[in-house]
Amino acid sequence: MFSNLYHAFQSIQAWIKYPPRQAALTQKIVDRIRNSLELQVVVQTAVDEIAALLRLDCCSFFWYWEERGQVEIVCERRQHEHQPSYLGEYPLECFGTMARAIAEGKRIVNRGTAHLTPTGLRWRIQQLLQKSSANPPSLIPNPSPWDYKASLLIPVTGKENGIGFIACLCEQPRFWATPEIQFLESIAESLEIGIRQAQLYEQTQNQAIREQLVNHITSQTRQSFDPQTILTEAISHLRSALEVDRCLVHLVEDYQTSDLPVVNSETAATCNGESLNRDHLYEVYRQPFTPCKDTFNPQGPITQWIIQHRRAVVIPDVTQDERIDTNNEEYQSAHIKSSLVVPVQAHGKLYAILFLNQCAYIRYWSKHDQELAQAVADQLAISLQQAYLYTRTQQQAAHNAMQAQKLAEMIEELRLTQVQLIQSEKMSSLGRMVAGVAHEINNPISFIYGNIPYLENYVNDLLRLVQAYQTEYPNPSPRLENILEEVEIEFLSKDLPKILQSMQSGTRRIQEIVQLLQRFSRHNEASLKLIDINVALENTLLILHNQCINTITIERHYDNLPHVECYPKPINQVFLNLLTNAIEALNRSPNSDKMITLRTQWKPSIHSSDEDRVEISIADNGVGINPEVLSSIFEPFFTTKAVGEGRGLGLTVTYQTIVNQHQGQLDVRSQPGQGTEFILQIPVRHHHALKSSPSSSQSPTPASDLSREVAKPS
C-alpha cells in the first residue's frame, strides 16, 4: 500500500515538474548526440544521457535484425559494476512474450507488477496521466529477459533491415510516467536522425578512404627519395586497401648492387602492429600471422620466373601451380594459399618484386586487385628510379652545401670584422682625442692651479700692507679717502680670499674631470688588469652626470666586490652603453619618477669546478622593449631609433665584450611600460685562453668574433 502511494507520489511529481524542463533536457541530449557522426558513439551517448537523467539501473540499445531473427545489444550503461553485461546477439525467442512486439517495432512498457485494478488511488493517478497523453503507454506485465523487473522499450528506426530499441531497465518495480515516455520518444526521434546521419557519414567515409588510399600511395611514392619510406608506406597502404594477409617487396640483386642507399640492417620499425623487416626485404602482415623473413627465399621459383619473364604472376591456389613444389617450405611456413606477384620495373630495369599473399583462405584475384597492384608497382619503380638519381647527386649536393656553408661563414666573418674595424677605428680615434684633449686641458689647468697659492700669498701680503698703512696713517688725505671709498677696500679684503678659494675649487674639479677622462679612455694603460667594478660604475656616472642631474634618480646597491681581472676600456664602454640607453629610455618615458637602479653582487663558487663571478645589474623604469624586437637587440646594426640617432652597434659590442671577450653572461628582462634590466656576469679571474698582448685599441680575440671594443650607445 505504502509502496503504491510512494510510486504514485513520484509519478505526480514527475508529471508536474518535468514539462517545463522537457524541451531543455531534450535539446541538451540532442546536442550531445549530434557532436559525433560515428554510429556507436551516437547510440552510446544517448544511452549514457538517458541512464543518468532517469536514474536507471541499466540502459541499453539493441538492434533487431529481421533477416537473421536476432537481437544484437550493441551498447549499455550499468549503474553498478556487479550487474551483468548483456552485450552480444540473442535469438528473438529469448524475449518471450515481448518478441512479437519487438518484431513489429512497438513500444513496450513493463512496470514489473501485476495489472492495475480500476479502483483506488493508483488507478486514478494512471487515468489522470493517460488523459494528458494522446498515446498512452501499453502495459505488458511479463518480466523482461534481462532479469530486471521493470522495463521500457522505445523503438528507433533509421537502419535498413533493422529496428533499434532504447531499453530502460530497473531492478525494482517502476511506474513509467507518461511524461517520461513522451520524453524518450522525442529522444528516439532525434536519435533516428542521428543514426541516419551517422550511416551516411560512414558510407561516405568508407568510399573516401578507399579512394584516398590509392591517391596517398601514388603521392607518397612520388615525394620521397628514401627507399625505406617509399616501400614501407606503399605496401602498408596496399595491404589495407586489398585486405590481404601479407604484403612484401624484395629488392633484386641488380638494385641492391646499384648506387642507391642501403638501409641499415640494424634498423627496424613497427607501425600499427605491422612489422617492417630489415635489409632488402620489407614486409607488412596482419595478425595473428607472424613475419616470414627468415623463410623467404630470394632464389625461389616465382622470384626467378619474374626476373626471367618480367611479367606479373596470378596464383589463386598455390597447390595448383606447377612452378611451386608441394613441399615448398617457404609457402608452408608462411601459410600462403594465394599469391599475386608483380614486377617493379621501369624502362626495362627491374628494381624490385611485389608479393601479395593471402593466408587465411583461397582468393581469386580480381581485375581490380591486379590493376591496383600494378599501379602501385609502376609508381614504386618511378620512385626507386628517382632515388637512384638522387643518390648520384646527393654527394655533389653535400659538397655544394659544404662550400655554401663555408662561403656563408666567410660572409658572416667579413660582416663581423667590419663591425670590429668600425668600432676599433672609432674608439681608437676617440681614445686618442680624449687623451689629447685631457692632456691639453691638464697643462694650463695645472699652471693655474699651481700658481693660485702664490697668488693667494701675494694678495694676503698686499692686504696686510694696506691694513698697516691704515694703522700708521689713520687720517688719510681727501684724495686717498676718495680712492678707498671707490674701491671699497673693506669689501675687497673680505671677498678676494673667497674668489681665490672658488678658483682653487674650480681648477681642482677640472683636474678631477681630466683624470676621469684619462682613466676612462685607458689610453696609456695595459689592456688586461685588475679594476674595481664599483669605481668603474661611478666613473661612468660622473661622465653622464649632466644628463641625469635634477631629472633621474640614481639608486645604488653595491656589494663588497673583489677586484676583477678584465679589459677596463671595453668594460667602461659597456657601462656607458647601458647607462646611456637607460637614460634615453627614461627621457622617452612619461613617468615622472624616473630612476636607474645599480646593483653589484659577488657570487663565489660553490663547487670546485665553478668560478667566482661578479654580477652587475643596470635597471630603469622607462618605456621598456617590445617583445617582437627583444630577440634582435644584440644583432649588429639593429636599432629602433630614428635615422641618424643610432648605429645599432652599442648593444652588439656590449654582448660580445661580456660573452666572447670575458666569457661571461648577459641577460635582458623587459616588459613594455615597465622598464628594462640588463644583468651582466663576468668571472673574477679572466680565462687564460684570452691571455695575449693586445694593442691599446684592439682586444686579443680572433677576427671571426665581433668587435670587443667600446661603441657609442645605440
Side-chain angles (χ1 to χ4, degrees):
M1 177 64 181
F2 290 103
S3 176
N4 294 339
L5 289 174
Y6 176 77
H7 286 297
F9 177 76
Q10 278 195 327
S11 300
I12 293 175
Q13 208 174 32
W15 182 78
I16 292 174
K17 292 184 178 180
Y18 201 79
R21 300 174 54 202
Q22 182 171 346
L25 294 173
T26 303
Q27 186 62 40
K28 174 186 175 183
I29 297 178
V30 169
D31 291 341
R32 291 289 303 276
I33 292 173
R34 292 178 179 175
N35 283 338
S36 175
L37 290 176
E38 295 184 14
L39 182 59
Q40 184 66 21
V41 176
V42 168
V43 295
Q44 184 66 56
T45 300
V47 166
D48 293 343
E49 292 292 333
I50 293 173
L53 183 62
L54 299 184
R55 299 180 180 178
L56 303 174
D57 294 322
C58 180
C59 183
S60 62
F61 186 90
F62 65 85
W63 293 102
Y64 166 64
W65 307 110
E66 184 178 0
E67 294 181 354
R68 307 200 304 257
Q70 295 282 325
V71 172
E72 181 184 5
I73 303 177
V74 294
C75 64
E76 64 182 2
R77 172 68 180 271
R78 293 171 292 160
Q79 185 178 6
H80 305 291
E81 294 183 357
H82 70 273
Q83 296 171 333
S85 175
Y86 292 96
L87 296 177
E89 290 195 10
Y90 303 90
L92 182 62
E93 293 77 12
C94 294
F95 288 79
T97 57
M98 300 170 60
R100 182 175 179 181
I102 291 175
E104 295 176 356
K106 293 184 178 180
R107 182 184 63 196
I108 301 174
V109 180
N110 176 24
R111 298 171 181 156
T113 59
H115 284 296
L116 294 175
T117 59
T119 59
L121 178 61
R122 184 175 181 183
W123 178 82
R124 294 180 182 178
I125 293 173
Q126 181 192 12
Q127 294 298 318
L128 179 62
L129 295 176
Q130 289 179 354
K131 289 180 181 180
S132 65
S133 174
N135 186 20
S138 58
L139 304 177
I140 295 181
N142 304 81
S144 66
W146 288 280
D147 294 332
Y148 290 94
K149 292 185 178 181
S151 59
L152 173 61
L153 276 60
I154 304 297
V156 178
T157 59
K159 201 167 187 179
E160 296 181 0
N161 301 324
I163 303 175
F165 283 88
I166 301 173
C168 303
L169 309 172
C170 292
E171 294 179 345
Q172 300 298 328
R174 176 164 177 168
F175 186 87
W176 303 102
T178 301
E180 292 177 326
I181 298 174
Q182 293 175 343
F183 170 71
L184 290 173
E185 287 178 341
S186 64
I187 296 300
E189 293 176 358
S190 301
L191 186 58
E192 289 175 4
I193 299 174
I195 291 173
R196 291 192 183 95
Q197 292 177 344
Q199 288 176 333
L200 180 60
Y201 173 77
E202 186 177 357
Q203 294 172 1
T204 306
Q205 282 293 100
N206 290 337
Q207 182 179 0
I209 288 173
R210 189 174 184 88
E211 295 176 356
Q212 183 182 7
L213 212 53
V214 178
N215 295 334
H216 179 77
I217 294 173
T218 304
S219 175
Q220 179 65 34
T221 55
R222 288 179 176 176
Q223 293 176 0
S224 177
F225 294 111
D226 179 26
Q228 183 175 9
T229 303
I230 295 172
L231 298 174
T232 54
E233 285 284 338
I235 62 177
S236 177
H237 288 88
L238 182 60
R239 192 206 68 78
S240 300
L242 294 180
E243 297 181 352
V244 296
D245 296 327
R246 296 183 188 277
C247 186
L248 301 91
V249 61
H250 177 237
L251 304 183
V252 298
E253 291 301 322
D254 290 343
Y255 177 78
Q256 297 170 13
T257 56
S258 67
D259 294 334
L260 282 170
V262 178
V263 181
N264 186 354
S265 61
E266 297 299 324
T267 61
T270 301
C271 181
N272 298 328
E274 297 175 335
S275 176
L276 306 177
N277 287 322
R278 303 175 177 91
D279 299 331
H280 304 297
L281 177 66
Y282 302 90
E283 177 189 14
V284 292
Y285 55 89
R286 181 179 62 84
Q287 298 293 346
F289 298 102
T290 57
C292 63
K293 175 185 176 182
D294 295 337
T295 59
F296 180 83
N297 183 13
Q299 305 297 329
I302 301 301
T303 301
Q304 295 302 318
W305 194 94
I306 290 290
I307 294 175
Q308 183 179 358
H309 296 86
R310 306 294 177 92
R311 296 200 309 267
V313 175
V314 182
I315 307 175
D317 187 354
V318 297
T319 61
Q320 304 300 320
D321 193 288
E322 59 184 11
R323 290 165 294 193
I324 303 174
D325 188 12
T326 55
N327 297 323
N328 189 295
E329 181 181 356
E330 175 187 354
Y331 285 82
Q332 289 181 355
S333 60
H335 307 286
I336 299 174
K337 292 182 171 56
S338 302
S339 184
L340 173 61
V341 188
V342 182
V344 179
Q345 57 186 346
H347 305 293
K349 183 176 180 64
L350 181 65
Y351 293 100
I353 300 176
L354 180 63
F355 297 85
L356 301 172
N357 298 326
Q358 198 71 45
C359 304
Y361 55 88
I362 294 176
R363 175 169 180 170
Y364 292 88
W365 305 98
S366 65
K367 183 179 180 181
H368 169 72
D369 297 337
Q370 300 177 41
E371 290 177 350
L372 179 58
Q374 187 62 55
V376 173
D378 293 341
Q379 295 302 326
L380 284 176
I382 296 174
S383 298
L384 292 176
Q385 186 180 32
Q386 292 175 347
Y388 174 78
L389 297 175
Y390 173 75
T391 304
R392 298 287 295 270
T393 59
Q394 191 175 20
Q395 185 176 3
Q396 183 63 36
H399 177 72
N400 294 339
M402 186 180 299
Q403 294 296 326
Q405 183 179 2
K406 290 182 179 179
L407 181 60
E409 291 175 354
M410 292 177 61
I411 294 174
E412 181 67 14
E413 184 175 351
L414 288 174
R415 187 173 70 91
L416 299 181
T417 304
Q418 180 186 14
V419 175
Q420 181 182 20
L421 293 175
I422 292 173
Q423 288 300 110
S424 298
E425 182 62 26
K426 181 194 301 182
M427 297 316 302
S428 178
S429 301
L430 181 62
R432 288 193 296 267
M433 182 187 69
V434 170
V437 169
H439 177 72
E440 293 300 327
I441 295 176
N442 188 51
N443 286 337
I445 289 300
S446 298
F447 174 77
I448 296 173
Y449 184 76
N451 287 305
I452 285 179
Y454 298 102
L455 179 61
E456 186 176 7
N457 293 333
Y458 298 157
V459 169
N460 290 334
D461 290 341
L462 291 175
L463 291 177
R464 186 161 54 86
L465 178 60
V466 170
Q467 291 176 356
Y469 267 98
Q470 288 177 339
T471 303
E472 293 295 333
Y473 301 97
N475 299 315
S477 63
R479 181 173 176 273
L480 187 58
E481 285 183 356
N482 292 333
I483 295 174
L484 290 175
E485 184 178 354
E486 181 179 351
V487 299
E488 298 180 356
I489 188 63
E490 293 183 1
F491 173 77
L492 188 146
S493 61
K494 294 180 181 179
D495 191 57
L496 187 57
K498 295 180 181 179
I499 293 175
L500 293 175
Q501 186 177 3
S502 298
M503 292 173 62
Q504 189 175 19
S505 176
T507 54
R508 188 183 301 113
R509 174 59 182 161
I510 294 175
Q511 280 190 325
E512 291 176 356
I513 293 176
V514 169
Q515 293 174 0
L516 176 62
L517 291 175
Q518 290 176 338
R519 286 197 302 268
F520 187 82
S521 64
R522 306 280 181 177
H523 188 68
N524 296 320
E525 296 184 3
S527 295
L528 189 63
K529 63 177 295 184
L530 295 172
I531 69 168
D532 189 334
I533 294 295
N534 294 337
V535 173
L537 284 170
E538 287 300 315
N539 290 340
T540 308
L541 287 174
L542 284 175
I543 294 177
L544 301 173
H545 178 71
N546 64 319
Q547 300 183 36
C548 303
I549 189 170
N550 299 327
T551 59
I552 299 175
T553 303
I554 306 297
E555 187 175 300
R556 300 169 176 84
H557 302 278
Y558 292 158
D559 195 2
N560 186 17
L561 302 180
H563 282 70
V564 178
E565 185 180 28
C566 64
Y567 294 95
K569 185 178 178 180
I571 289 294
N572 286 335
Q573 187 62 39
V574 166
F575 295 156
L576 182 62
N577 290 341
L578 297 180
L579 286 171
T580 302
N581 287 345
I583 292 171
E584 292 177 353
L586 289 172
N587 290 336
R588 297 193 304 266
S589 174
N591 189 3
S592 59
D593 186 15
K594 301 177 180 181
M595 179 181 296
I596 294 178
T597 303
L598 303 178
R599 289 186 175 88
T600 60
Q601 184 179 3
W602 177 36
K603 292 193 172 183
S605 61
I606 301 177
H607 305 287
S608 58
S609 59
D610 297 336
E611 56 186 358
D612 294 348
R613 286 179 172 261
V614 169
E615 181 177 282
I616 306 104
S617 170
I618 300 176
D620 65 77
N621 59 348
V623 294
I625 305 174
N626 293 328
E628 56 268 17
V629 302
L630 189 61
S631 60
S632 304
I633 61 175
F634 297 116
E635 295 180 1
F637 306 108
F638 177 84
T639 180
T640 58
K641 299 177 184 178
V643 177
E645 293 185 8
R647 303 293 185 269
L649 296 176
L651 290 180
T652 299
V653 175
T654 297
Y655 182 86
Q656 295 301 323
T657 299
I658 298 300
V659 176
N660 288 359
Q661 189 176 13
H662 292 86
Q663 281 69 53
Q665 297 179 0
L666 175 58
D667 298 324
V668 57
R669 302 171 185 173
S670 180
Q671 290 291 335
Q674 299 182 11
T676 304
E677 180 183 12
F678 286 90
I679 302 174
L680 298 74
Q681 284 191 9
I682 56 176
V684 174
R685 295 291 298 174
H686 195 276
H687 289 257
H688 296 290
L690 292 179
K691 184 178 293 185
S692 62
S693 37
S695 63
S696 61
S697 62
Q698 195 170 353
S699 63
T701 52
S704 60
D705 290 333
L706 285 175
S707 172
R708 308 296 190 257
E709 298 303 322
V710 292
K712 287 183 179 180
S714 61

